[in-house]
Amino acid sequence: MIIAIDGPSGAGKSTVAKLLSKRLNFEYIDTGAMYRALAYKAYKSNIEINEANEYKIDEMLKSTSVDYYNNNIYLDNNDVESLIRDENISIGASQISALKNVRIKMVELQRKIAENKNVVLDGRDIGTKVFPNADYKFFITASEEIRATRRYNQLTASGFESEFNDVLSDLKQRDINDTTRTISPLKKAEDAILIDTTYMSLDEVVKTIADIIGGYNVL
Ligand code: DC
């Protein structure tokens, strides 16, 4: 069974998807972490992420392995979970994810990892592109201010220094990048269930989703 959770940055997708996967005893795949790992490698390799450098990034891709298991992201067989969460990497991930060969490789990988498993995946194009026939599709969103506040709190709690206004403007920039790119832009799949979490607690969101799925005797 495939459960797709898409939506913009800071909507709470990954927290909800993780909790839900635990509750269902499903695997969880954080597809954003894969794009973040590639952005991290480009950054470490001194490759600026832009269209002019697409050929360099294509070369990098050929000698790069990305994997996701046990709630951790692996880049060239190293766990990079703790290295990919800062704001520079967020913006880099948004930029690198617009490139054609990057998307082809990551979508292929995500389909392969989820093959024959019960999985909750979160991302931007899971319900529209990676698994258009997913058993359940949710599109989770919230107001810009609330999303930036959640992201800011998350960064602060993880020890990253940041200014709220910078976080808000980065989030707006990522929204623009992610919704306007040519290949698989972020958008709600027609058959996805929309959940606006602006005034909802985390527990309420998980319960809402679990109730929908539970109606089908999965829980
Ligand atoms: O979910 P996240 O914030 O970790 O994702 C980082 C970036 O990766 C996001 O700005 C857009 C991109 N992304 C994507 O294009 N497709 C996905 N399925 C997941 C993330």
Side-chain angles (χ1 to χ4, degrees):
M1 175 178 290
I2 301 284
I3 301 176
I5 302 192
D6 290 304
S9 310
K13 297 183 303 294
S14 62
T15 318
V16 167
K18 259 185 220 158
L19 285 172
L20 190 70
S21 65
K22 257 199 194 143
R23 193 161 165 176
L24 298 172
N25 204 16
F26 277 25
E27 276 192 37
Y28 164 61
I29 302 176
D30 175 355
T31 63
M34 297 177 174
Y35 295 97
R36 284 173 180 271
L38 293 179
Y40 174 76
K41 181 153 181 183
Y43 171 72
K44 280 287 178 196
S45 314
N46 288 318
I47 302 173
E48 209 180 307
I49 304 168
N50 53 42
E51 275 181 15
N53 280 341
E54 200 164 349
Y55 72 100
K56 286 191 191 168
I57 294 169
D58 284 352
E59 278 308 303
M60 182 190 92
L61 271 182
K62 286 181 197 158
S63 57
T64 299
S65 78
V66 172
D67 204 352
Y68 194 91
Y69 52 89
N70 294 340
N71 288 355
N72 277 315
I73 179 76
Y74 293 87
L75 172 69
D76 298 328
N77 302 316
N78 296 310
D79 180 347
V80 291
E81 180 62 44
S82 61
L83 304 172
I84 57 163
R85 298 291 164 191
D86 70 47
E87 281 300 275
N88 279 341
I89 301 295
S90 299
I91 287 285
S94 180
Q95 290 165 331
I96 210 163
S97 71
L99 304 177
K100 185 171 154 226
N101 290 331
V102 167
R103 292 213 78 82
I104 290 174
K105 183 163 173 167
M106 291 304 105
V107 169
E108 201 178 277
L109 180 69
Q110 288 152 20
R111 287 180 179 151
K112 200 167 142 225
I113 298 179
E115 206 171 26
N116 299 323
K117 289 184 189 141
N118 290 321
V119 192
V120 180
L121 298 102
D122 84 62
R124 303 292 187 290
D125 60 341
I126 308 303
T128 52
K129 169 80 185 174
V130 186
F131 288 109
N133 296 322
D135 300 85
Y136 295 96
K137 297 182 188 178
F138 298 94
F139 192 88
I140 298 192
T141 188
S143 72
E144 269 177 359
E145 273 68 25
I146 285 290
R147 291 191 286 122
T149 304
R150 288 176 186 161
R151 175 96 190 120
Y152 173 77
N153 290 340
Q154 204 177 37
L155 284 169
T156 312
S158 312
F160 292 107
E161 272 186 34
S162 52
E163 291 290 328
F164 176 79
N165 284 337
D166 294 340
V167 173
L168 179 62
S169 67
D170 283 356
L171 186 125
K172 287 182 181 175
Q173 188 55 53
R174 279 214 281 159
D175 280 356
I176 294 172
N177 292 351
D178 296 347
T179 54
T180 61
R181 67 175 178 232
T182 322
I183 315 167
S184 307
L186 166 67
K187 76 170 205 259
K188 180 185 160 306
E190 270 178 28
D191 52 351
I193 297 168
L194 176 72
I195 302 179
D196 184 334
T197 70
T198 307
Y199 302 108
M200 289 171 88
S201 69
L202 191 58
D203 282 348
E204 284 172 325
V205 182
V206 175
K207 186 175 181 319
T208 303
I209 295 181
D211 282 350
I212 292 169
I213 298 171
Y216 295 83
N217 292 327
V218 177
L219 293 177

